[in-house]
Amino acid sequence: MEFAFTKDQLMFKKEVIRFARKEIVPRVEENDRNHTFDFDAFRKMGEFGLLGLHLPETYGGSGADVVTTVLAGEALGEAGVDGGLTLSYGAHSFLCADTLCCHGTEAQRQKYLPDLISGAKIGCMGLTEPNAGSDVASMKTTATRKGDTYVLNGSKTFITNGPIADVALIYAKTDPQKAHDGISAFIVEKGTPGFEAGPPMNKLGCRSSQTSELFFSDCVIPAENLVGTEGTGFLMAMQTVEWDRSALLSPMVGGINHALARSVAYAKGREQFGRPIGAFYATKEKLASMKIFAEAAKLLVYRIAWCKGQGKPVNHLEAAVAKLFVGDWLLGPSNDALLLHGGYGYCHEYGMERIFRDGRLAPIGGGTSDVQKMIISKMI
């Protein structure tokens, strides 16, 4: 049981932090304030190799192992990158591109992966619907086979990258009479007649990530845009859970370490009653609690990453525990960071209130905390 990263992994983490602080972080607060997606930063992430870090070199990726890939996400958070951009990165690279890589045909991989890996095109995944959130099998979007085409009808909601995506991986019912076994996956390109994205939603946090509804009205796509075979879509979606519980959680772990480092510096420099506020027990307690969360969350997240990297089946109980812990317990340390900064923490310029807001998505997106508790209780 090895708990250390390799020298190369640690050097790579430093490079990612250096890159992010130079190319992304200077615009983070402005992008959050204006609800602006940073296309330039996203393309630079592609040039740096982050968007296809774990994907095969054949298509322009780097072929990195899972732990290194998850470490890159942690580095982005630790550098101070906002939750909006890391959310868009996760949906693009792991929910869309990875699924195409694992389940698409060779022709599909050659057509879409190079541009997704470089950042020339942006991807999204459409699973959630207005009346089908945690209950995925109740989705109403249909894909009807007509000759050498499929006709899609329905809608999706809360889709990360929805308004800006060039390539959408859409889940729809090819057999409405079946539940999970009736779900299939399809590629729908931007500009396809009958496919339209709604306006960006105004969210509490992760504001630089564009989120919207997707609408399909007699949207005709070639039959060759089916990913995998009919009826296997639900299994594809569930396989993304391994990434959701590792690579998509790791920026939150890094973000708390960023908030902790900022809080320690502030506690040393801010003086009240003739001494630094770090000398007071109330401040020490907050800093200690933040550190405890960061270490515990890190172990849970990297256990999932290690299992996936070793080719071991990820235990659904362990995955649910990791998601629940980060989702629910993130509130405490992010709130402590805000309160430690006092009135400054409440102001946008210090970034603490943004970290607090971004973290409120954690117990909702990718599987609610209530559902994780259902999974945990059922399995024990």
Side-chain angles (χ1 to χ4, degrees):
M1 189 177 294
E2 179 61 64
F3 285 93
F5 296 108
T6 66
K7 182 179 179 181
D8 287 343
Q9 286 173 329
L10 292 175
M11 289 178 61
F12 177 67
K13 181 183 179 183
K14 289 182 179 179
E15 287 300 315
V16 174
I17 291 175
R18 186 178 297 112
F19 158 78
R21 286 176 175 168
K22 177 183 178 183
E23 303 292 351
I24 303 175
V25 174
R27 297 187 299 278
V28 158
E29 299 304 333
E30 179 183 355
N31 291 334
D32 176 77
R33 184 168 55 249
N34 297 326
H35 298 243
T36 302
F37 180 77
D38 197 333
F39 287 96
D40 183 60
F42 200 77
R43 283 190 288 268
K44 287 181 178 178
M45 288 173 68
E47 294 172 1
F48 188 83
L50 291 176
L51 300 183
L53 187 59
H54 68 293
L55 297 172
E57 296 180 17
T58 307
Y59 310 106
S62 301
D65 61 86
V66 178
V67 171
T68 300
T69 302
V70 173
L71 190 65
E74 182 188 349
L76 290 173
E78 190 171 326
V81 176
D82 65 293
L85 190 61
T86 56
L87 177 64
S88 288
Y89 156 61
H92 170 93
S93 294
F94 304 109
L95 306 187
C96 180
D98 183 78
T99 303
L100 289 177
C101 184
C102 292
H103 303 287
T105 63
E106 181 58 28
Q108 289 171 341
R109 289 194 287 265
Q110 290 185 4
K111 181 177 181 179
Y112 296 106
L113 287 182
D115 283 343
L116 291 173
I117 289 172
S118 69
K121 290 186 177 180
I122 296 173
C124 74
M125 179 190 80
L127 181 66
T128 301
E129 296 185 3
N131 294 307
S134 299
D135 183 12
V136 175
S138 67
M139 71 168 56
K140 301 301 181 184
T141 299
T142 59
T144 305
R145 181 70 184 255
K146 290 189 176 181
D148 58 355
T149 67
Y150 282 93
V151 181
L152 274 64
N153 282 286
S155 65
K156 300 293 178 178
T157 193
F158 302 128
I159 306 305
T160 299
N161 295 343
I164 58 175
D166 302 289
V167 180
L169 182 69
I170 302 300
Y171 293 90
K173 285 282 187 76
T174 44
D175 188 345
Q177 303 306 313
K178 294 181 179 180
H180 300 91
D181 292 341
I183 300 173
S184 305
F186 300 89
I187 301 168
V188 184
E189 296 184 34
K190 181 178 181 179
T192 301
F195 171 41
E196 183 180 354
M201 295 177 171
N202 191 350
K203 309 189 299 292
L204 170 71
C206 297
R207 292 175 173 174
S208 70
S209 173
Q210 303 288 290
T211 306
S212 75
E213 295 178 289
L214 300 179
F215 302 99
F216 304 90
S217 179
D218 292 330
C219 176
V220 181
I221 59 172
E224 64 189 30
N225 283 24
L226 172 70
V227 180
T229 57
E230 286 192 9
T232 60
F234 179 74
L235 295 177
M236 293 182 199
M238 290 304 98
Q239 286 181 13
T240 66
V241 167
E242 298 175 357
W243 285 118
D244 192 271
R245 306 301 184 259
S246 54
L248 271 73
L249 291 181
S250 63
M252 300 179 193
V253 177
I256 285 300
N257 280 319
H258 170 74
L260 177 58
R262 293 274 302 276
S263 296
V264 168
Y266 185 81
K268 289 179 177 180
R270 172 72 170 174
E271 290 192 4
Q272 291 290 280
F273 304 102
R275 53 178 174 162
I277 63 171
F280 295 100
Y281 174 79
T283 302
K284 293 178 180 180
E285 190 274 336
K286 287 182 173 62
L287 296 174
S289 295
M290 292 169 67
K291 182 62 175 177
I292 291 168
F293 169 84
E295 291 300 315
K298 189 172 184 177
L299 288 173
L300 289 169
V301 167
Y302 280 100
R303 177 169 65 176
I304 305 300
W306 182 83
C307 285
K308 181 174 177 59
Q310 294 294 314
K312 300 177 182 291
V314 173
N315 184 297
H316 289 291
L317 175 62
E318 295 174 351
V321 169
K323 176 65 168 64
L324 177 66
F325 181 81
V326 175
D328 274 14
W329 273 265
L330 181 63
L331 173 62
S334 60
N335 187 53
D336 283 341
L338 189 155
L339 294 176
L340 190 148
H341 284 76
Y344 295 111
Y346 196 70
C347 296
H348 191 273
E349 289 74 16
Y350 271 67
M352 294 300 109
E353 57 86 33
R354 175 183 54 75
I355 292 174
F356 177 86
R357 286 187 289 102
D358 287 352
R360 301 322 303 136
L361 178 63
I364 302 172
T368 68
S369 290
D370 286 338
V371 169
Q372 305 315 307
K373 290 175 183 176
M374 289 171 56
I375 294 171
I376 294 167
S377 61
K378 181 179 179 179
M379 297 193 73
I380 61 176

